[in-house]
């Protein structure tokens, strides 16, 4: 960090703490000491012109300085039982120490101004707007002006300020605003600097002849900036549930807040998907409804749960969408779209008005929305990772805990007390861990621990496998029953469709409880390991459940839809996903009700404990991720599913908010917010989004769409819609054959994929080497700073000893080692 | 540059927007909350200074163990009594806002933790800091032995030049390795 090259000028603020102390002691020290030191002053060359009466003899405990390698002597009575050992310095040395740049950089205005002067100079150099020679001080040699060689030490603060103002004025507007904002001065001083900078700018602008286009540019820039500020304010005012979030963070801190922020992130993803599918798919199809087959079911209440029945022939599902190009003139001409055209041809009447190629739109909308979601996810994941990853692997757990763990957002008194208790416990635990690192376990104990871990993992894996097999056989069983059951009461038929979702949601609810029990008997080294193991087990369960369900839908149902009498397997899969999403929501509500509300009542009234249930952040976030995976899986089959998910998340936000405020208390274990947020975003990207997009890609690439419904009927795969379009383009316009050929090479030839992946891996390898190099440099710099510290100590002790030697030898002083 | 009695002028508002990290809504809300702290006759004076006891009645600061230090650090009064004008209050909110840079936050955190205002965190400062963190009651305080060990561990971990104190650069070095600092050093009205 560039400290000011000049030593800071005397300012009142620097000596503030000492003036009181020194004044206090000068009352006790007596006049003789001050007088002798005054004589001494005249012999020494001191740069300061302080009033000598303020100095006093070394006496009571001024700040101690602790030196490891030196023998120290200390006087008990004068130290007042201070347990820390150290040298005692004379007040002159203390004064010099207190005005060292490293100590005043945080406080003196002059130091801050000179620091920012250097920074603005560097910024100007970087931006290539070289400072004019006349801006430099005259003392620098002309040949080296502009290379940062200013080393004047006697500049008054005023001229430093002038130079800073000059630099500010020469920066661009956004740079200036950023510099001014980042300065740690108070608003009055910053506005003074700004006023000076603008004043000069106005005078230069009005003075010189500015051509009209750059003046226009100036006004455009100002107008753009104003509109940007108002846009930011508008966005800020739109914040959802700001008051509620503040209440939660005021009571529970950042950990629980991160759950709600994650929920908001998912809300935005779903909003984006909903807008895209709504505008490009739902709206055009709703405006041009196709002719529906006869025998449509009437509305009974069961549709809301099963999604079938009345809903199955609505715009909600894949089966409703047309496979031809929509256009208004055709509808008028034929009086109803009874015409089902083969895919390649186009009617003459269509070409006169706005047309909308539905299969192509469907294909590209899903593809592009997934692509954009992928980009946004990868970007936020890498940003989050960058914030929480640190190159330097040194262990400074205690320092970090003490210096940065206080959460200023917490404002409720009881929560503050709880936080203090938590910090105290964690500090004691960390101290014990740091200072008794090697608790040697005997071989027997290690073996025992390993056995317990193995047993717990065996229980978890066995129960997961058992549940997965159960789902597999049960879904197969339901599949069989479905095919043989079409004659029984249709309502019962529909209700039996709910059986599989209920079973899966039950498993998702109960099995994590079993995992918790298994983890309870285990003994972990640290609480974060425990959290990660629990997340890993839950993840394993959910991934396997989703895997077997995908196999069931895409492998069983899609492969042979005729077996269960399905005309349109995609709509069926869409309905299944709707049911699963809804059941998951209902079970989350039940879990909130029983797990939090009733448990709190039970523990208060029956068990008479004052501790409320703890809000388990990891479990709730994993449930959100599971729901989002289902939503992503279902977008292809049910374009309105993001709307359902949006609605569900909004309800969940407010329900969870009120449940947390009423029923829960904040977690007692330390929760590293930034790391956990990164983990959750990574989980959202990798297993969740990746899995969903793999399934969707597989469906589009390899599965045969149903032949009697949907926008891709009579095609071999959904992907062919894109290919056909490219072929049609090529036919219409032979100049675009290059595009078509490029398309077929890039998309279908795996060679490019390999080359791309290879380049990517090489780039990653280079970056990791750079990171290693930087780690080594950090180590070297730390050593260098340590050496400089030794130099500093040496110089100070020499200064002190010279000072002592020049004093009259008869004085009684405590001896100092040299 | 003072504030008028009940309304903030438009140019003043845009100037504050440029100089601090606060948005327009936040500045207006801060103005509203600040004027609520003023008595009737103080409202007419420009640039009034609110004494520290009234500032500490704000719910965001009331239970914070560092409340007095915060007021002291941001106060520009000559008597160093912790009283704040509206601009000092804006400074406070800007440093604790969502969009403030890590550097500003660490700078002010350092000044808040520097209990004796001497430019470094020495053993006395660290001891007072730990006592503030662990609370006022006796059963949550660390014993003397634990405190001594804790402080020596902290200095070992963070004092790079081994002078027995943590100066601003060393503090910023430790803070930059803690990714939770930025999100926890926030006060929102």
């Amino acid at each position: 960090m560039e400290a000011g090259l000049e030593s800071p000028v005397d300012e009142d603020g620097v000596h503030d703490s000492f003036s009181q102390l020194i004044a206090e002691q000068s009352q006790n020290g007596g006049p003789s000491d001050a007088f002798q030191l005054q004589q001494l002053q005249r012999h020494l060359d001191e740069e300061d012109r302080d009033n000598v009466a303020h100095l006093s003899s070394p006496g009571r405990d001024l700040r101690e300085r602790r030196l490891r390698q030196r023998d120290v002597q200390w006087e008990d009575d004068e130290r007042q039982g201070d347990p820390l050992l150290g040298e005692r310095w004379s007040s002159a040395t203390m004064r010099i120490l207190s005005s060292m740049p490293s100590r005043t950089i945080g406080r003196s205005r002059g130091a801050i101004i000179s620091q920012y002067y250097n920074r603005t100079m560097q910024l100007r150099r970087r931006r290539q707007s070289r400072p004019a020679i006349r801006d430099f001080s005259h003392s620098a040699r002309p040949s080296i002006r502009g290379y940062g060689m200013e080393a004047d030490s006697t500049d008054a603060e005023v001229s430093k300020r002038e130079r800073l103002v000059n630099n500010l004025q020469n920066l661009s507007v956004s740079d200036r605003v950023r510099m001014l904002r980042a300065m740690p001065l108070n608003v009055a001083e910053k506005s003074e600097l700004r006023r000076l900078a603008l004043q000069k700018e106005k005078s230069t602008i009005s003075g010189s002849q500015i051509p009209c286009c750059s003046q226009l540019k100036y006004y455009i820039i100002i107008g753009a900036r104003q509109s940007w500020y108002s846009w930011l304010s508008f966005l800020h005012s739109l914040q959802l549930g700001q008051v509620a979030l503040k209440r939660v963070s005021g009571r529970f801190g950042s950990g629980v807040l991160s759950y709600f922020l994650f929920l908001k992130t998912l809300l935005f993803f779903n909003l984006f998907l909903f807008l895209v599918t709504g505008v490009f798919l739902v709206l055009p199809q709703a405006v041009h409804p196709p002719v529906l087959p006869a025998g449509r079911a009437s509305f009974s209440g069961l549709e809301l749960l099963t999604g079938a029945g009345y809903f199955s022939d609505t715009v909600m599902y894949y089966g409703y969408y047309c496979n031809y190009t929509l256009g208004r003139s055709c509808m008028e001409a034929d009086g109803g779209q009874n015409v089902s055209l083969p895919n390649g041809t186009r009617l003459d009447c269509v070409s006169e008005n706005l047309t909308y190629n539905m299969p192509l739109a469907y294909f590209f909308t899903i593809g592009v929305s997934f692509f954009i979601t992928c980009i946004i996810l990868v970007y936020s994941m890498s940003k989050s990772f960058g914030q929480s990853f640190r190159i330097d692997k040194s262990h400074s757990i205690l320092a970090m805990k003490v210096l940065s763990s206080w959460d200023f957002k917490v404002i409720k008194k009881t929560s503050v007390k709880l936080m203090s208790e938590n910090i105290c416990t964690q500090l004691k635990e960390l101290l014990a861990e740091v200072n008794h690192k090697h608790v040697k376990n005997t071989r027997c104990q290690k073996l025992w621990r390993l056995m317990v871990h193995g047993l717990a993992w065996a229980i978890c894996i066995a129960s997961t496998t058992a549940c997965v097999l159960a789902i597999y056989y049960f879904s197969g069983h339901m599949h069989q029953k479905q095919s043989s059951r079409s004659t029984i009461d249709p309502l019962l038929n529909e209700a039996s469709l709910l059986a599989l979702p209920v079973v899966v949601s039950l498993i998702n609810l109960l099995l994590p409880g079993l995992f918790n029990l298994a983890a309870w008997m285990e003994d972990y080294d640290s609480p974060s390991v425990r959290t990660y193991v629990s997340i890993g087990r839950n993840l394993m369960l959910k991934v396997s459940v989703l895997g077997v369900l995908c196999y069931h839908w895409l492998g069983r149902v899609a492969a042979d839809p005729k077996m269960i009498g399905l005309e349109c397997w995609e709509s069926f899969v869409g309905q299944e996903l709707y049911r699963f999403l809804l059941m998951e929501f209902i079970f989350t509500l039940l879990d909130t009700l029983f797990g939090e509300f009733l448990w709190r009542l039970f523990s208060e009234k029956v068990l008479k404990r004052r501790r409320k249930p703890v809000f388990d952040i990891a479990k709730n976030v994993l449930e959100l991720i599971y729901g989002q995976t289902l939503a992503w899986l279902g977008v292809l089959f049910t374009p309105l599913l993001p709307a359902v998910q949006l609605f569900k998340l909004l309800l969940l936000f407010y329900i969870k908010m009120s449940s947390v405020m009423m029923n829960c208390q904040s977690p007692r274990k330390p929760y590293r917010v930034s790391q956990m947020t990164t983990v959750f975003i990574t989980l959202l990207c990798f297993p969740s989004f990746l899995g969903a997009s793999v399934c969707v890609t597989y469906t589009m690439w390899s599965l045969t769409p149903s032949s009697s419904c949907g926008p891709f009927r009579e095609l071999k795969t959904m992907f062919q819609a894109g290919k056909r379009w490219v072929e049609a383009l090529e036919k219409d316009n032979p100049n675009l054959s290059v595009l078509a050929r490029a398309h077929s090479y890039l998309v279908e030839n795996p060679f490019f994929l390999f080359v791309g992946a290879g380049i990517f891996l090489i780039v990653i390898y280079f970056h990791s080497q750079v990171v290693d190099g930087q780690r080594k440099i950090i180590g070297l710099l730390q050593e260098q700073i340590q050496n400089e510290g030794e130099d500093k100590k040496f110089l100070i002790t020499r200064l002190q000893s010279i000072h002592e030697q020049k004093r009259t030898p008869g004085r009684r002083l405590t001896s100092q080692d040299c | 540059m003072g504030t008028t009695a009940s309304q903030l002028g438009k140019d003043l508002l845009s100037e504050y927007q440029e100089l601090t990290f606060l948005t327009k809504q936040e500045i207006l809300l801060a103005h509203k909350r600040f004027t609520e702290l003023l008595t009737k006759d103080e409202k007419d004076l420009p640039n009034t200074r609110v004494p520290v006891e009234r500032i500490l009645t704000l719910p965001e600061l009331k239970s914070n163990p560092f409340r007095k230090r915060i007021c002291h650090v941001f106060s520009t009064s000559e008597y160093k009594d912790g009283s704040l004008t509206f601009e000092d209050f804006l400074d406070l909110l800007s440093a604790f806002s969502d969009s403030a840079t890590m550097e500003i936050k660490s700078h002010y955190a350092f000044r808040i933790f520097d209990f004796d205002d001497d430019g470094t965190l020495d053993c006395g400062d660290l001891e007072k800091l730990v006592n503030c963190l662990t609370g006022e009651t006796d059963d949550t305080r660390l014993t003397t032995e634990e405190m001594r060990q804790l402080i020596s561990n902290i200095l070992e971990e963070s004092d790079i030049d081994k002078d027995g104190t943590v100066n601003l650069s060393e503090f910023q070095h430790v803070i930059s390795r803690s990714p939770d600092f930025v999100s926890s050093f926030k006060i929102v009205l």
Side-chain angles (χ1 to χ4, degrees):
Chain A
M1 184 167 116
E2 326 72 68
L5 292 173
E6 303 89 328
S7 61
V9 183
D10 269 348
E11 284 177 19
D12 292 341
V14 168
H15 301 293
D16 200 30
S17 59
F18 280 97
S19 59
Q20 275 181 350
L21 202 55
I22 290 171
E24 212 178 320
Q25 288 181 29
S26 63
Q27 290 164 9
N28 299 337
S32 60
D33 296 328
F35 193 62
Q36 276 169 338
L37 273 170
Q38 191 173 8
Q39 278 182 331
L40 203 60
Q41 275 292 92
R42 296 198 193 106
H43 292 300
L44 296 173
D45 292 332
E46 296 262 314
E47 56 177 75
D48 301 316
R49 288 170 297 281
D50 267 349
N51 192 350
V52 170
H54 283 190
L55 294 176
S56 68
S57 65
R60 303 223 302 258
D61 51 344
L62 302 173
R63 269 178 315 115
E64 287 95 24
R65 306 195 11 86
R66 185 163 65 105
L67 300 169
R68 297 255 176 93
Q69 281 91 22
R70 303 179 62 85
D71 303 345
V72 292
Q73 309 165 5
W74 52 292
E75 316 277 303
D76 245 323
D77 41 348
E78 295 193 46
R79 286 301 163 89
Q80 294 156 10
D82 196 317
L84 293 169
L85 311 177
E87 294 281 330
R88 285 193 331 212
W89 309 107
S90 71
S91 65
T93 318
M94 295 295 266
R95 224 185 40 219
I96 295 178
L97 283 178
S98 73
S99 45
M100 279 197 301
S102 64
R103 301 214 175 166
T104 56
I105 190 68
R107 303 185 49 245
S108 94
R109 203 170 47 229
I112 293 176
I113 286 182
S114 58
Q115 179 192 14
Y116 273 86
Y117 165 69
N118 285 340
R119 284 200 191 168
T120 47
M121 192 60 99
Q122 280 186 355
L123 192 61
R124 278 180 73 185
R125 266 187 224 125
R126 266 212 311 264
R127 300 270 192 259
Q128 299 294 324
S129 69
R130 293 193 130 256
I133 293 289
R134 67 166 181 271
D135 293 337
F136 288 116
S137 54
H138 293 298
S139 54
R141 294 210 318 257
S143 54
I144 58 170
R145 275 188 210 168
Y147 287 100
M149 299 289 195
E150 298 87 10
D152 300 319
S153 57
T154 52
D155 266 346
E157 187 188 320
V158 179
S159 79
K160 258 190 287 182
R161 220 163 89 151
E162 276 173 11
R163 288 193 278 161
L164 176 62
V165 165
N166 193 6
N167 274 348
L168 279 177
Q169 176 203 333
N170 284 314
L171 289 174
S172 70
V173 176
S174 57
D175 278 339
R176 176 168 61 224
V177 166
R178 217 163 12 105
M179 270 287 150
L180 272 177
R181 266 207 197 127
M183 283 186 172
L185 296 170
N186 56 22
V187 167
E189 285 166 8
K190 281 199 275 197
S191 65
E192 185 62 29
L193 283 171
R194 177 175 175 267
R195 191 182 61 82
L196 286 172
L198 282 181
Q199 204 178 51
K200 281 199 185 174
E201 190 179 276
K202 277 202 176 70
S203 61
T204 48
I205 282 181
S206 59
S208 59
Q209 316 281 341
I210 297 187
C212 64
C213 51
S214 73
Q215 205 170 40
L216 188 65
K217 198 169 70 165
Y218 176 71
Y219 285 126
I220 289 178
I221 289 177
I222 291 212
R225 204 157 29 101
Q226 292 288 50
S227 52
W228 175 246
Y229 282 148
S230 37
W231 169 247
L232 279 183
S233 310
F234 174 67
L235 272 187
H236 191 82
S237 64
L238 275 187
Q239 297 281 342
L240 171 72
Q242 203 60 354
V243 175
L245 283 179
K246 192 190 159 190
R247 269 192 314 152
V248 165
S249 68
R251 209 164 124 187
F252 294 101
S254 313
V256 175
L257 185 68
S258 70
Y259 167 76
F260 289 99
L261 291 177
F262 190 76
L263 219 163
K264 271 176 76 168
T265 320
L266 287 182
L267 259 172
F268 286 126
F269 275 121
N270 283 303
L271 187 65
F272 163 72
L273 266 180
F274 170 58
L275 284 175
V276 167
T277 57
V279 165
F280 290 109
L281 293 183
V282 176
L283 216 54
Q285 191 63 65
V287 168
H288 299 268
V291 169
L292 296 168
R296 207 160 152 207
S298 60
F299 186 83
S300 69
L302 201 56
E303 268 81 35
L304 290 172
L305 277 183
T306 61
Y310 182 73
F311 280 163
S312 48
D313 288 317
T314 57
V315 80
M316 216 165 128
Y317 294 111
Y318 171 99
Y320 185 76
Y321 290 82
C322 315
N323 73 330
Y324 43 80
T325 315
L326 304 170
R328 248 181 298 145
S329 60
C330 275
M331 201 152 90
E332 286 160 8
D334 295 328
Q337 302 203 323
N338 223 345
V339 191
S340 166
L341 302 162
N343 221 0
T345 61
R346 296 159 76 134
L347 276 183
D348 295 325
C349 60
V350 165
S351 55
E352 292 163 16
N353 270 357
L354 292 170
T355 61
Y356 196 76
N357 191 344
M358 185 47 85
L360 201 63
Y362 205 95
F363 178 72
F364 275 123
T365 307
I366 302 287
V368 168
S369 58
F370 265 75
F371 185 64
I372 294 181
T373 310
C374 178
I375 290 181
I376 297 176
L377 263 179
V378 169
Y379 173 71
S380 54
M381 183 179 78
S382 52
K383 203 160 73 124
S384 182
F385 184 69
Q387 273 172 2
S388 66
F389 175 73
R390 293 289 165 243
I391 293 180
D392 195 7
K393 287 223 193 94
S394 59
H395 308 283
S396 53
I397 19 173
L398 271 175
M400 283 204 303
K401 188 98 216 157
V402 167
L403 295 175
S404 64
S405 68
W406 183 261
D407 195 349
F408 283 78
K409 290 204 284 265
V410 177
I411 52 185
K412 199 157 177 271
K413 193 160 171 177
T414 45
S415 308
V416 167
K417 225 170 79 117
L418 193 67
M419 194 157 67
S420 303
E421 280 174 22
N422 283 351
I423 289 184
C424 180
T425 325
Q426 287 160 26
L427 279 177
K428 289 190 181 174
E429 280 173 14
L430 275 176
L431 261 182
E433 192 183 304
V434 163
N435 289 324
H436 303 102
K437 255 183 225 170
H438 301 287
V439 179
K440 283 283 186 194
N441 280 332
T442 62
R443 289 182 70 92
C444 197
Q445 273 184 329
K446 274 192 201 161
L447 204 60
W448 173 248
R449 276 182 67 173
L450 217 59
M451 267 178 52
V452 171
H453 279 305
L455 183 63
W457 273 103
I459 292 177
C460 296
I461 294 180
S463 51
T464 309
T465 323
C467 290
V468 163
L469 285 174
I471 295 176
Y472 180 74
Y473 286 119
F474 186 68
S475 59
H477 171 75
M478 294 303 292
H479 193 79
Q480 300 287 348
K481 281 191 101 169
Q482 200 68 357
S483 55
S484 61
R485 208 211 268 230
S486 38
T487 53
I488 310 179
D489 179 23
L491 267 184
L492 195 60
N493 215 1
E494 261 183 55
S496 69
L497 290 170
L498 286 175
L500 187 61
V502 168
V503 165
V504 170
S505 296
L506 258 178
I507 288 179
N508 271 330
L509 191 65
L510 295 176
L511 229 58
L514 179 65
F515 293 161
N516 276 342
L517 274 178
W520 180 62
M521 66 179 186
E522 289 176 289
D523 178 30
Y524 286 105
D525 284 330
S526 72
S528 54
V529 174
R530 183 185 284 265
T531 315
Y532 285 138
V533 166
S534 136
I535 288 179
R537 286 176 182 162
N538 276 323
L539 195 67
M540 183 179 67
L541 170 70
K542 290 188 158 58
V543 165
S544 3
V545 163
L546 278 175
V548 79
L549 284 173
C550 282
Y551 169 73
H552 168 68
W553 291 321
L554 300 178
R556 267 200 210 129
V557 172
D560 196 2
K562 296 286 187 242
M563 201 165 86
I564 45 177
L566 276 181
E567 286 290 317
C568 200
W569 64 266
E570 292 97 344
S571 290
F572 179 72
V573 173
Q575 286 161 13
E576 284 269 279
L577 280 163
Y578 173 83
R579 286 190 282 268
F580 269 82
L581 207 60
L582 207 60
M583 275 302 134
E584 197 248 327
F585 177 54
I586 291 177
F587 272 79
T588 311
L589 287 182
L590 284 178
D591 179 37
T592 310
L593 188 65
F594 286 113
E596 294 171 10
F597 180 59
L598 287 180
W599 183 249
R600 172 183 74 105
L601 286 180
F602 182 67
S603 74
E604 267 182 11
K605 303 279 169 24
V606 175
L607 298 179
K608 297 272 192 281
R609 277 195 298 183
R610 289 191 53 218
R611 301 245 313 244
K612 296 186 183 170
V614 170
F615 185 74
D616 192 347
I617 302 171
K619 181 179 83 126
N620 284 296
V621 171
L622 279 178
E623 276 178 26
L624 283 179
I625 294 179
Y626 173 72
Q628 188 60 37
T629 318
L630 290 175
W632 275 329
L633 275 173
V635 174
L636 176 63
F637 307 110
T638 312
L640 275 183
L641 203 62
V644 175
Q645 172 81 340
L646 194 66
F647 188 60
K648 177 191 130 186
L649 284 177
L650 272 173
L651 276 180
L652 202 62
F653 185 83
Y654 288 109
I655 291 174
K656 279 282 177 187
M657 182 79 74
S658 33
S659 163
V660 155
M661 294 300 286
M662 275 203 314
N663 303 329
C664 295
Q665 67 172 19
S666 53
R668 292 211 148 229
K669 301 199 190 85
Y671 184 80
R672 282 137 116 199
V673 176
S674 170
Q675 218 177 40
M676 297 308 277
T677 313
T678 312
V679 166
F680 292 140
I681 288 264
T682 313
L683 287 180
L684 188 67
C685 187
F686 279 129
S688 166
F689 182 74
L690 194 68
S693 47
V694 161
C695 283
V696 166
T697 315
Y698 174 71
T699 311
M700 286 180 132
W701 203 285
S702 328
L703 289 182
T704 320
S706 5
S707 53
S708 53
C709 67
F712 300 115
R713 52 194 109 164
E714 294 159 25
L715 285 176
K716 255 204 334 208
T717 65
M718 297 185 193
F719 188 65
Q720 288 208 338
K723 268 175 87 169
R724 289 225 182 172
W725 176 65
V726 171
E727 284 169 11
L729 261 189
E730 201 180 347
K731 214 167 42 170
D732 286 345
N733 197 347
N735 296 339
L736 290 177
S737 63
V738 176
L739 183 69
R741 256 184 284 141
H743 170 260
S744 65
Y745 272 141
L746 281 176
V747 175
E748 296 180 9
N749 199 342
F751 175 65
F752 282 99
L753 215 61
F754 283 133
V755 167
I759 293 178
F760 195 53
L761 284 173
I762 290 176
V763 167
I764 292 179
Y765 176 70
F766 277 155
H767 273 108
S768 76
Q769 291 297 308
V770 166
V771 165
D772 272 340
Q774 282 178 346
R775 237 182 237 139
K776 289 199 189 100
I777 289 180
I778 288 179
L780 285 175
L781 284 174
Q782 270 183 327
E783 264 185 49
Q784 188 179 350
I785 295 179
Q786 234 171 313
N787 290 335
E788 299 289 326
E790 295 284 327
D791 278 350
K792 194 166 77 174
K793 272 191 301 204
F794 175 75
L795 286 172
I796 289 176
T797 47
R798 292 294 293 178
L799 189 70
Q800 173 77 5
S801 64
I802 290 174
H803 211 168
E804 293 297 320
Q805 277 170 21
K806 289 201 174 168
R807 280 196 183 153
T808 49
R811 253 174 66 76
R812 182 185 69 83
L813 292 167
T814 52
S815 66
Q816 305 281 345
D817 284 350
C818 176
Chain B
M1 230 145 289
T3 64
T4 56
S6 51
Q7 295 255 18
L8 273 184
K10 230 168 134 36
D11 44 354
L12 209 56
L13 191 61
S14 67
E15 185 184 333
Y16 287 149
Q17 257 185 303
E18 267 191 30
L19 295 177
T20 64
F21 290 101
L22 301 170
T23 63
K24 194 166 84 156
Q25 263 81 9
E26 288 168 340
I27 297 176
L28 290 172
L29 181 60
H31 186 68
K32 185 167 100 116
R33 297 287 294 275
F34 191 77
T35 43
E36 281 168 12
L37 291 175
L38 300 172
T39 59
K40 249 188 154 39
D41 24 333
E42 276 175 350
K43 282 195 190 171
D44 300 321
L45 306 168
N47 244 351
T48 37
R49 198 169 266 288
V50 176
V52 67
E53 299 81 29
R54 261 190 271 162
I55 299 275
L56 293 183
T57 59
L58 281 173
E60 287 83 8
L61 290 178
K62 202 159 52 163
S63 319
N64 196 320
F66 298 103
R67 55 191 180 272
K68 295 212 181 80
R69 282 298 306 165
I70 293 176
C71 290
H72 181 88
V73 163
F74 287 99
S75 159
T76 51
S77 106
E78 306 106 49
Y79 309 107
K80 307 280 177 214
D81 56 2
S83 56
L84 300 180
T85 63
F86 178 62
E87 287 182 349
D88 297 339
F89 190 56
L90 279 185
D91 266 331
L92 198 161
L93 291 174
S94 168
F96 278 101
S97 74
D98 268 331
S99 29
T101 56
M102 162 84 102
E103 198 180 322
I104 284 262
K105 284 187 194 256
S106 57
H107 178 99
Y108 281 110
F110 182 76
R111 285 178 63 181
I112 291 173
F113 294 155
D114 187 10
F115 285 84
D116 52 10
D117 275 327
D118 59 359
T120 64
L121 301 180
D122 56 5
C123 307
D125 289 328
L126 288 173
E127 187 171 335
K128 289 205 194 97
L129 173 63
V130 172
N131 281 332
C132 276
L133 285 179
T134 56
E136 313 293 316
T137 58
D138 277 328
D139 51 347
T140 53
R141 285 191 176 224
L142 299 182
T143 63
T144 330
E145 178 60 30
E146 285 172 337
M147 180 71 78
R148 193 187 61 80
Q149 235 176 5
L150 178 64
I151 292 181
S152 80
N153 272 325
I154 292 175
L155 284 174
E156 191 184 315
E157 286 168 3
S158 47
D159 187 11
I160 304 180
D161 59 2
K162 306 284 179 242
D163 63 351
T165 65
V166 180
N167 63 17
L168 179 63
S169 319
E170 291 160 352
F171 180 79
Q172 282 178 332
H173 187 225
V174 170
I175 290 293
S176 71
R177 277 186 268 148
S178 156
D180 290 333
F181 173 71
V182 174
S183 61
S184 61
F185 197 76
K186 274 191 197 159
I187 291 181
V188 181
L189 276 188

